Amino acid sequence: MRNLTASLSLVLLAALALPTQAAEVALLDWRRALMQTDAAEQSMNDLEGRVGSQQQQAESLGQELQQMQQRLQQEGQQMAEGERQSAMQEFQEKGTEFEQLRQQVVQAQQQAEQEFLQQAEPMLEQAVDQVIARHGVEVLVDPQGVLHSDADLQDLTGEVTQILNSLL
């Protein structure tokens, strides 16, 4: 009787252990998948056309500010008080202008990216669903969410990007 109970227990444990096998786990960097699409590249090119002149102006102003700062550091002590005050005021005004231009460019970039992400989200979900079904993925993780993995996780980012290119 004990042998029968022990045997049944072992069979039961083996049967219960089968469904607990490791799930198919894969990695997806959804942001990279989206931003590497042809549509994202086109969106960034459109943005460059809209804010390119502001960005060039900001870069030029940044270089001018560096030159002014070097001049003030090197010659500031030898300048007359009025000349130094005038140079400092001009430096501050150009610094304010530079910061405003930089903020406008950053804001335009963030807005364009957000608009693109909102427009592409339904297609991203569709592409991810296709890849999950194709690979039988049970657990999909974002690279930032993985703290440690002994296994090389299958990276599905490129495949999602390819599907997105066909959908966008």
Side-chain angles (χ1 to χ4, degrees):
M1 188 69 153
R2 282 186 164 174
N3 285 341
L4 181 61
T5 305
S7 296
L8 285 174
S9 295
L10 284 174
V11 170
L12 184 60
L13 282 174
L16 290 175
L18 285 176
T20 63
Q21 292 176 354
E24 181 66 35
V25 180
L27 181 78
L28 172 65
D29 185 341
W30 64 270
R31 181 174 289 281
R32 187 177 59 155
L34 274 174
M35 297 315 288
Q36 288 180 341
T37 62
D38 298 336
E41 187 176 315
Q42 181 62 45
S43 177
M44 292 302 116
N45 288 339
D46 292 347
L47 173 66
E48 180 66 31
R50 288 193 317 254
V51 297
S53 63
Q54 287 177 314
Q55 194 165 12
Q56 287 176 346
Q57 187 179 0
E59 289 172 10
S60 175
L61 203 53
Q63 291 172 356
E64 191 177 336
L65 283 167
Q66 286 178 344
Q67 292 170 353
M68 289 177 74
Q69 183 178 21
Q70 286 176 344
R71 180 175 174 245
L72 284 168
Q73 287 174 346
Q74 293 171 355
E75 302 172 13
Q77 298 298 329
Q78 291 84 22
M79 289 180 175
E81 183 63 30
E83 184 182 1
R84 186 171 55 242
Q85 289 292 337
S86 176
M88 292 287 286
Q89 183 176 357
E90 182 182 2
F91 179 77
Q92 288 175 347
E93 289 170 0
K94 287 186 185 276
T96 301
E97 183 181 353
F98 170 78
E99 189 58 34
Q100 288 173 347
L101 278 171
R102 191 187 66 75
Q103 285 178 356
Q104 288 172 359
V105 169
V106 167
Q107 206 170 31
Q109 288 171 332
Q110 289 172 342
Q111 183 178 359
E113 185 176 323
Q114 186 171 354
E115 287 172 2
F116 175 74
L117 290 175
Q118 286 176 342
Q119 176 249 337
E121 186 177 0
M123 277 69 80
L124 174 64
E125 288 178 22
Q126 185 179 353
V128 170
D129 288 344
Q130 285 180 27
V131 172
I132 285 173
R134 183 178 303 138
H135 292 277
V137 174
E138 294 177 31
V139 178
L140 190 60
V141 295
D142 186 276
Q144 288 78 27
V146 177
L147 297 177
H148 172 76
S149 174
D150 284 335
D152 287 333
L153 298 178
Q154 184 176 10
D155 188 352
L156 303 175
T157 304
E159 190 172 340
V160 170
T161 300
Q162 288 176 341
I163 293 171
L164 282 169
N165 276 332
S166 70
L167 296 173
L168 292 172

